[in-house]
Amino acid sequence: MSASEKVKAVGERIAGRVVRKVAGATGHRTTAAKGAALEARGKARQLKEKGKDKFGF
């Protein structure tokens, strides 16, 4: 996994988690859903990069 892609993936996961928790605590359900989607996108990016490393792409 390239370092820049790894940083992007981890950054998206952390940002999504923060947005989801803050929005959930303040009662903003739509924003919490957007944060959960951002977190999921970061996790998917991380899995994609791990797969590329495993298969040598």
Side-chain angles (χ1 to χ4, degrees):
M1 176 186 292
S2 71
S4 65
E5 291 296 318
K6 183 176 182 180
V7 170
K8 285 181 188 177
V10 172
E12 281 183 350
R13 288 185 74 184
I14 291 171
R17 187 174 301 138
V18 169
V19 168
R20 181 175 51 89
K21 290 194 182 258
V22 170
T26 59
H28 294 102
R29 290 172 44 191
T30 304
T31 306
K34 289 178 183 179
L38 183 61
E39 187 177 358
R41 186 172 67 192
K43 189 172 186 175
R45 182 186 297 241
Q46 216 170 15
L47 290 172
K48 176 191 80 165
E49 290 300 320
K50 284 182 181 180
K52 283 172 55 177
D53 284 345
K54 186 174 186 176
F55 295 109
F57 289 109

